Amino acid sequence: MQRACFRLHLRQDRIDAYRERHAAVWPEMLQALKQAGWDNYSLFIAPDGTLIGYVEVSDSIDQAQARMALTDVNTRWQEQMGEFFTELDGASPDEGFELLDEIFHLEDQLASSAGDEPTSAPSR
């Protein structure tokens, strides 16, 4: 499984409309995402328009994106979503995001430290 986190930038004047659009995503789009292996998928918006996405996929984000690219609903969705973003340089939103590097995952570190003696808490 791969955990992927990505960043995009929303146009300030379109943040409210973007929120509204995602309050009721097309059922066909929801099903396509699920069938393409997009699990535990969430979007987060900062007040400055920074959009952060998080998704877990069984293989790789590239393969999950490729599966979505084969669907008609994704093509239609991306065409409509393009108007909300800045800095895409002609790419669709699902191709123009910046992947972020994962540097810490609690469960991975806990698993790798299993069997190690616990460290004591700092004294006060």
Side-chain angles (χ1 to χ4, degrees), residues 30-97:
L30 299 173
Q31 287 302 313
L33 285 163
K34 194 64 171 170
Q35 290 171 355
W38 291 64
D39 294 315
N40 204 20
Y41 182 28
S42 299
L43 296 173
F44 304 85
I45 299 175
D48 69 354
T50 300
L51 181 78
I52 299 293
Y54 174 83
V55 64
E56 296 172 354
V57 295
S58 61
D59 40 25
S60 75
I61 189 64
D62 291 336
Q63 290 175 329
Q65 284 179 283
R67 287 189 294 272
M68 281 304 294
L70 297 174
T71 67
D72 176 62
V73 67
N74 187 64
T75 301
R76 290 183 283 122
W77 183 264
Q78 297 307 322
E79 286 173 0
Q80 290 193 14
M81 291 297 106
E83 70 184 63
F84 292 97
F85 295 96
T86 64
E87 304 172 17
L88 288 179
D89 298 325
S92 65
D94 65 338
E95 296 172 337
F97 58 68

Side-chain angles (χ1 to χ4, degrees), residues 100-120:
L100 304 176
D101 291 333
E102 181 179 22
I103 62 165
F104 173 80
H105 185 250
L106 176 62
E107 283 73 15
D108 286 350
Q109 287 203 20
L110 287 171
S112 70
S113 68
D116 292 347
E117 289 190 30
T119 58
S120 59

